[in-house]
Amino acid sequence: MSAHIIDGKQIASQLLEDIKANIDQRVQAGKRAPCLAVILLGDDPASAIYVRNKRLACEKTGIVSIAHNLPASTSQEELFALIRQLNADDTTDGILVQSPLPHHIDETEILALIDPAKDVDGFHPYNIGRLAVRQPLLRSCTPYGVIKMLQASGIALKGLDAVVVGVSNHVGRPMGLELLLAGCTVTSCHRHTKDLATHIGRADLIVAAAGKAGLIKGEWIKPGAIVVDIGINRLPDGKITGDVDFAVASQRASHITPVPGGVGPMTVATLMENTLKALELREQASSARV
Ligand code: NAD
């Protein structure tokens, strides 16, 4: 069997077009376009690429993006002050702080300071909590992107035995919550899991988010399973690869996502969707006030 390769780039591109159409309509009706503030500290090359991709997606959709490129030496207090200012600015709809942050900055405190209504990454404990209680508002971009990608591929999730590998706050954990919300029976595996191969071997759907190249062996995959690879790993030769042994897994799975060109573009597209949604939610909230 040879798996259907899920084209995340194409699905994301369609989503960006839909968002653009929505924003064009707003602007034609005299409303303003959404505005995303992107904060980047230092000059990490991978972060610079991610930020550039997000800026390009803003350009494609008509979202105004405002870059705050700060030196790596920026103090936590200075970053706090900027976030407070953006929280208070009515024309800023989304605030994104690109990770990783320099070691002297406490990322947890920074993310907690962002107004949850402008938390377009969906990382704030309030937004993760909303997802946990089945009332999602701004959803973590990568897990939400995975769900949208599976839905666009016509995959019915209800009742599937899903295994998520990785339980980080930003990726694996909200991924498990998304799949639970979608009606899957979810198992979360992590670095202390005793027998990863057995869990993988009985899964209908595997979502890999460990950041370990080759961790998921192709022969572990149950024939016909769906495989989503979130991992992004740079090999010594500079190539990018996922967590799953793609060559063998793609001979056993029914559907599989490639790396690159799978989940990555969906993450950027759902960020755009969240930015538009953040504006709409704040407009609704302000029109409901008397
Ligand atoms: P992380 O390091 O914070 O978390 C890794 C998780 O993997 C942990 O929960 C850990 O317990 C688990 N893990 C590690 N080794 C394991 C093992 N041997 N067996 C089972 N579980 C193991 O990383 P993260 O921020 O969650 O990111 C995970 C991966 O996803 C990275 O490669 C990252 O680059 C990638 N990522 C991709 C996108 C995208 O858009 N495609 C977005 C975010 C992150």
Side-chain angles (χ1 to χ4, degrees):
M1 179 200 272
S2 194
H4 169 75
I5 315 281
I6 298 178
D7 186 348
K9 241 171 141 172
Q10 197 271 324
I11 298 169
S13 161
Q14 180 60 54
L15 182 55
L16 291 179
E17 274 180 34
D18 295 347
I19 295 166
K20 182 185 179 332
N22 204 322
I23 292 173
D24 284 350
Q25 249 181 17
R26 281 184 60 88
V27 173
Q28 277 158 20
K31 295 179 181 172
R32 70 176 176 82
C35 173
L36 173 66
V38 181
I39 304 173
L40 174 65
L41 264 69
D43 49 14
D44 174 52
S47 295
I49 293 173
Y50 292 139
V51 165
R52 193 196 60 188
N53 288 342
K54 290 167 188 173
R55 184 172 46 76
L56 289 174
C58 284
E59 279 171 18
K60 269 190 198 151
T61 49
I63 292 175
V64 178
S65 76
I66 300 194
H68 295 269
N69 295 333
L70 307 175
S73 58
T74 303
S75 71
Q76 181 146 313
E77 264 318 313
E78 286 168 318
L79 192 49
F80 276 165
L82 174 59
I83 290 173
R84 284 197 193 97
Q85 179 202 319
L86 294 170
N87 279 346
D89 174 18
D90 203 38
T91 60
T92 299
D93 303 298
I95 303 170
L96 181 151
V97 181
Q98 184 62 47
S99 67
L101 288 170
H103 292 302
H104 65 278
I105 308 266
D106 183 336
E107 186 170 330
T108 308
E109 283 198 38
I110 295 294
L111 295 181
L113 186 67
I114 295 173
D115 179 348
K118 299 187 178 189
D119 166 42
V120 285
D121 257 333
F123 290 166
H124 193 285
Y126 175 78
N127 282 316
I128 304 275
R130 294 285 307 208
L131 177 61
V133 297
R134 293 178 276 183
Q135 297 164 32
L137 282 174
L138 296 175
R139 302 155 82 150
S140 307
C141 295
T142 301
Y144 184 39
V146 168
I147 297 292
K148 293 197 76 106
M149 186 173 64
L150 293 172
Q151 284 169 346
S153 305
I155 293 169
L157 292 169
K158 210 166 274 178
L160 293 186
D161 281 329
V163 169
V164 182
V165 185
V167 290
S168 70
N169 286 346
H170 298 166
V171 187
R173 214 162 275 258
M175 188 72 248
L177 292 171
E178 283 284 357
L179 291 170
L180 201 53
L181 185 67
C184 293
T185 302
V186 182
T187 303
S188 289
C189 296
H190 44 77
R191 67 182 85 247
H192 304 298
T193 295
K194 281 189 290 212
D195 186 357
L196 187 59
T198 300
H199 289 291
I200 299 285
R202 56 165 188 71
D204 303 317
L205 166 65
I206 298 125
V207 182
K212 295 259 155 40
L215 175 69
I216 316 286
K217 307 282 174 254
E219 55 270 23
W220 293 354
I221 310 291
K222 180 168 82 174
I226 301 147
V227 179
V228 175
D229 196 347
I230 295 179
I232 300 176
N233 309 291
R234 189 172 289 276
L235 298 174
D237 65 4
K239 283 200 184 115
I240 301 289
T241 184
D243 292 350
V244 179
D245 168 12
F246 185 87
V248 179
S250 60
Q251 293 306 309
R252 295 172 68 86
S254 63
H255 297 73
I256 192 165
T257 65
V259 179
V263 177
M266 292 304 299
T267 298
V268 179
T270 45
L271 174 70
M272 299 302 115
E273 182 178 312
N274 275 352
T275 305
L276 172 58
K277 183 165 187 183
L279 167 57
E280 290 172 344
L281 287 172
R282 286 193 316 115
E283 280 174 346
Q284 282 163 22
S286 80
S287 68
R289 273 197 297 271
V290 279

